[in-house]
């Protein structure tokens, strides 16, 4: 993945600010939040989400309704999820209930 992880990756973002943060997630569960199988990467993701109040998650439909061992954030921190056409109607409805904007590739044009 060529990911940067560890102490430096966790400390570096403390000095930065961003208008928007875009991240991927290995697993997204509507009740359990966002999880990953690699603990070191979750620590970095936690540091990165503190950079901005606008968090955008990029995840195809296969990431939904899954749980991995390492929790990194609740869905309540997410503003927008960008995904593909395979996301179910049930997931769409639950995200709308949680006031999370869903952008489906081919259905919506832009991130404001």
């Amino acid at each position: 993945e060529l990911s940067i992880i560890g102490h430096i990756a966790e400390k570096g973002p403390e000095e930065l600010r961003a208008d928007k943060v875009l991240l991927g997630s290995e697993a997204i569960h509507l009740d359990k939040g966002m999880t990953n199988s690699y603990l070191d990467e979750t620590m970095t993701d936690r540091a990165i989400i503190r950079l901005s109040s606008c968090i955008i998650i990029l995840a195809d439909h296969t990431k939904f309704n899954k749980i991995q061992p390492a929790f990194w954030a609740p869905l309540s921190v997410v503003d927008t999820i960008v995904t593909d056409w395979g996301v179910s109607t049930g997931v769409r409805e639950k995200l709308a209930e949680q006031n999370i904007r869903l952008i489906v590739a081919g259905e919506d044009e832009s991130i404001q």
Side-chain angles (χ1 to χ4, degrees):
E1 289 185 0
L2 300 174
S3 297
I4 297 174
I5 58 170
H7 177 73
I8 293 173
E10 292 170 34
K11 289 300 195 181
E14 291 178 4
E15 303 300 323
L16 303 172
R17 299 295 174 264
D19 292 332
K20 296 177 177 85
V21 169
L22 288 83
L23 287 168
S25 185
E26 192 173 323
I28 301 171
H29 191 275
L30 299 172
D31 298 319
K32 306 286 185 194
M34 293 175 291
T35 56
N36 193 330
S37 61
Y38 189 41
L39 183 57
D40 288 337
E41 190 171 328
T42 66
M43 301 305 289
T44 303
D45 290 343
R46 288 177 187 170
I48 290 172
I49 64 173
R50 289 191 290 268
L51 296 177
S52 175
S53 61
C54 181
I55 307 301
I56 302 166
I57 301 299
L58 311 171
D60 67 64
H61 73 279
T62 66
K63 308 298 191 225
F64 290 91
N65 296 319
K66 296 197 174 164
I67 301 172
Q68 292 294 338
F71 171 80
W72 66 271
L75 277 180
S76 61
V77 303
V78 176
D79 296 288
T80 301
I81 296 177
V82 180
T83 190
D84 62 17
W85 53 268
V87 68
S88 73
T89 301
V91 167
R92 290 176 189 229
E93 290 170 354
K94 288 185 179 183
L95 291 173
E97 288 171 11
Q98 295 183 42
N99 295 317
I100 297 172
R101 180 178 176 205
L102 186 68
I103 296 175
V104 178
E107 292 182 14
D108 200 335
E109 299 291 322
S110 65
I111 297 174
Q112 300 297 324

